[in-house]
């Protein structure tokens, strides 16, 4: 199975000046764990995750004044839609993260998460175990 088969194609995109509270509210409404941050001044495409927000709040920083750009990962590992789920899982395990932005033609077209991969693999593994 390929990343294109598992990825979420509805991508939340925010700007670098969104507050962490705004980002968290948008992510919570959509029930997702990451947002793509488009920031041409910082190299283009980054990612802000629920963990980034949690770490900031845990440090006592205010989600009402902290901005996405200060917590965005800009050194992003991107996936291609043609990657296998095994390749995506390996990249996540190797990098220690749970989301990959999927680029097609240099543009974000989706996000694949550990949860997406598990959803795809779980039915296969259940069927294999039942044989």
């Amino acid at each position: 199975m390929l990343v294109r088969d598992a990825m979420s194609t509805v991508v939340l995109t925010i700007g670098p000046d969104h507050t962490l509270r705004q980002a968290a509210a948008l992510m919570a409404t959509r029930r997702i764990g990451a947002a793509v941050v488009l920031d041409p001044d910082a190299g283009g495409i980054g990612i802000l995750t629920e963990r980034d927000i949690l770490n900031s709040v845990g440090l006592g920083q205010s989600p009402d004044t902290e901005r996405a750009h200060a917590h965005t990962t800009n050194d992003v590992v991107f996936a291609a839609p043609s990657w296998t789920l095994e390749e995506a899982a390996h990249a996540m395990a190797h990098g220690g993260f749970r989301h990959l932005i999927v680029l097609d033609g240099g543009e974000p077209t989706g996000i694949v998460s550990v949860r997406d991969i598990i959803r795809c693999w779980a039915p296969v593994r259940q069927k294999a175990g039942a044989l």
Side-chain angles (χ1 to χ4, degrees):
M1 190 169 273
L2 302 178
V3 165
R4 75 170 51 91
D5 303 318
M7 71 183 192
S8 300
T9 56
V10 178
V11 179
L12 172 61
T13 303
I14 64 171
D17 289 325
H18 275 79
T19 66
L20 293 187
R21 184 175 306 280
Q22 290 169 325
L26 291 167
M27 290 163 59
T29 298
R30 289 166 179 79
R31 299 181 55 140
I32 57 173
V36 172
V37 181
L38 296 181
D39 187 355
D41 296 334
I45 301 171
I47 190 167
L48 179 73
T49 68
E50 58 197 355
R51 184 172 293 173
D52 297 324
I53 296 168
L54 182 65
N55 286 339
S56 174
V57 171
L59 290 171
Q61 298 172 335
S62 171
D64 294 313
T65 58
E66 287 296 310
R67 302 292 174 179
H69 68 83
H71 303 278
T72 298
T73 300
N74 292 310
D75 184 19
V76 179
V77 175
F78 298 102
S82 59
W83 279 19
T84 65
L85 293 185
E86 288 81 6
E87 288 172 307
H90 176 74
M92 289 177 187
H94 182 72
F97 42 79
R98 298 178 293 163
H99 300 87
L100 286 170
I101 299 171
V102 182
L103 290 185
D104 193 7
E107 295 296 319
T109 59
I111 292 186
V112 65
S113 69
V114 170
R115 181 178 293 147
D116 296 327
I117 293 171
I118 291 170
R119 272 192 212 121
C120 289
W121 284 351
V124 173
R125 304 221 191 259
Q126 289 171 357
K127 288 177 187 175
L131 295 177

